[in-house]
């Protein structure tokens, strides 16, 4: 099959990022699938399918190692099932170039949110405290976090990790490693819902999605084993850097798809 090695390699890279950064891999998959000739809506839909396999692999490994909070994952994932379908519907209505530009904006916005949260933690740090508590109502915080993740998963095919990680840090007062590990579990739920909605509309490229997902299984198994050993500073720096790079790449792809002005 043409580009089979590129597809498999992209899946492995996505899996590595999924386990290390809790972002599901969609930030790699959507630009890659678009570069291989798919339309943006097909890239979003196919990315969701691949992410089911990638995130499931990483989540199972995290669960076996005791690094995932099942109750938190289910609480966040319940509302995401519904909002993912809303995201799928909105994605079918907007032009391709706006979909890609919006994808880039979401990546940059969530990088800023995560950075803001870490600054707040440093300013309010008290070595006598054993844990930090959120000032938000826990039910409202979970609804906002899970609902936002589901909507973005359906709209952009990113699993929702780009918003799950910073919002768990901001609204639920979770440390970055815990946020990443729980994020990967919620992504399984959001990506299943998103894929079902896109498959109903005929947007999913199934063969490419499965190949990317199988490659991602390898990457996710490797990265989830190494995440607990990495310093928080390294994890945070990697998260911010990757979000910024893929955001600007998405802006460039969207810019190239903007239709020319009609002659006057």
């Amino acid at each position: 099959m043409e580009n089979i090695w590129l597809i498999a390699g992209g899946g492995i890279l996505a899996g590595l990022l999924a386990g290390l950064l809790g972002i599901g891999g969609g930030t790699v998959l959507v630009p890659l699938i678009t570069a291989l000739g798919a339309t943006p809506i097909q890239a979003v839909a196919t990315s969701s399918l691949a992410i089911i396999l990638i995130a499931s692999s990483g989540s199972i490994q995290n669960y076996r190692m005791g690094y995932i909070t099942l109750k938190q994952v289910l609480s966040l994932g319940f509302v995401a099932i519904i909002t993912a379908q809303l995201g799928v519907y909105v994605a079918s209505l907007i032009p391709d170039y706006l979909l890609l530009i919006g994808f880039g904006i979401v990546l940059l916005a969530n990088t800023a949110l995560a950075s803001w949260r870490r600054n707040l933690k440093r300013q309010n740090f008290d070595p006598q405290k054993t844990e930090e508590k959120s000032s938000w109502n826990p039910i409202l915080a979970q609804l906002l976090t899970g609902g936002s993740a589901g909507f973005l998963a359906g709209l952009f095919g990113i699993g929702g990790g780009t918003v799950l990680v910073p919002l768990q840090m901001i609204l639920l007062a979770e440390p970055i490693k815990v946020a990443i590990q729980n994020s990967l579990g919620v992504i399984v739920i959001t990506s299943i819902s998103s894929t079902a909605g896109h498959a109903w509309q005929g947007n999913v490229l199934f063969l490419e999605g499965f190949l990317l997902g199988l490659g991602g299984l390898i990457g996710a198994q490797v990265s989830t084993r190494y995440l607990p050993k990495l310093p928080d500073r390294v994890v945070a720096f990697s998260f911010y850097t990757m979000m910024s790079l893929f955001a600007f790449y998405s802006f460039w792809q969207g810019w190239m798809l903007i239709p020319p002005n009609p002659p006057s």
Side-chain angles (χ1 to χ4, degrees), residues 175-208:
I176 188 168
K177 285 185 180 179
V178 174
I180 286 173
Q181 289 155 347
N182 286 336
S183 168
L184 204 55
V186 180
I187 285 168
V188 176
I189 299 172
T190 62
S191 56
I192 289 174
S193 179
S194 174
T195 300
H198 280 295
W200 180 261
Q201 297 187 13
N203 296 328
V204 181
L205 304 175
F206 285 97
L207 179 58
E208 289 83 350

Side-chain angles (χ1 to χ4, degrees), residues 79-121:
V79 66
I81 294 175
I82 301 172
T83 56
Q85 297 307 310
L86 178 60
V88 170
Y89 175 72
V90 173
S92 68
L93 299 179
I94 62 178
D96 288 345
Y97 72 92
L98 287 181
L99 194 63
L100 290 172
I101 291 173
F103 179 79
I105 291 172
V106 166
L107 298 186
L108 288 182
N110 284 284
T111 302
L113 284 174
S115 178
W116 177 52
R117 174 58 181 170
R118 285 178 61 82
N119 288 335
L120 287 178
K121 287 185 68 175

Side-chain angles (χ1 to χ4, degrees), residues 7-244:
I7 292 173
I12 292 173
L13 178 59
L16 287 170
L17 294 176
L20 285 175
L21 307 179
I23 57 177
T27 50
V28 177
L29 295 175
V30 172
L32 173 62
I33 299 168
T34 305
L36 292 175
T39 65
I41 191 67
Q42 287 176 326
V44 165
T46 306
S47 171
S48 295
L49 173 60
I51 289 170
I52 295 175
L53 300 177
I54 296 170
S56 296
S57 172
S59 294
I60 291 170
Q61 182 61 31
N62 278 336
Y63 183 76
R64 287 176 176 173
M65 298 170 69
Y67 296 133
I68 194 169
T69 308
L70 189 59
K71 182 179 179 180
Q72 180 84 297
V73 168
L74 294 176
S75 297
L76 294 172
F78 178 76
V79 66
I81 294 175
I82 301 172
T83 56
Q85 297 307 310
L86 178 60
V88 170
Y89 175 72
V90 173
S92 68
L93 299 179
I94 62 178
D96 288 345
Y97 72 92
L98 287 181
L99 194 63
L100 290 172
I101 291 173
F103 179 79
I105 291 172
V106 166
L107 298 186
L108 288 182
N110 284 284
T111 302
L113 284 174
S115 178
W116 177 52
R117 174 58 181 170
R118 285 178 61 82
N119 288 335
L120 287 178
K121 287 185 68 175
R122 283 195 292 265
Q123 293 169 10
N124 299 322
F125 176 72
D126 183 350
Q128 301 302 318
K129 294 180 180 179
T130 57
E131 63 179 15
E132 183 182 0
K133 295 184 178 179
S134 172
S135 60
W136 284 73
N137 177 283
I139 296 178
L140 178 60
Q142 288 178 340
L143 288 174
L144 288 173
T145 303
S148 299
F151 178 75
L152 293 177
L155 182 59
F156 296 122
I158 56 178
T162 52
V163 71
L164 277 169
V165 172
L167 285 187
Q168 283 184 89
M169 294 168 68
I170 293 169
L171 302 182
L172 301 172
E174 297 283 13
I176 188 168
K177 285 185 180 179
V178 174
I180 286 173
Q181 289 155 347
N182 286 336
S183 168
L184 204 55
V186 180
I187 285 168
V188 176
I189 299 172
T190 62
S191 56
I192 289 174
S193 179
S194 174
T195 300
H198 280 295
W200 180 261
Q201 297 187 13
N203 296 328
V204 181
L205 304 175
F206 285 97
L207 179 58
E208 289 83 350
F210 279 117
L211 286 174
L212 288 165
L214 290 174
L217 290 176
I218 300 171
Q221 286 296 312
V222 173
S223 59
T224 50
R225 285 175 169 84
Y226 283 98
L227 175 62
K229 302 177 183 179
L230 294 175
D232 284 354
R233 182 177 298 180
V234 173
V235 176
F237 177 78
S238 301
F239 181 83
Y240 302 143
T241 301
M242 295 305 299
M243 292 299 97
S244 300

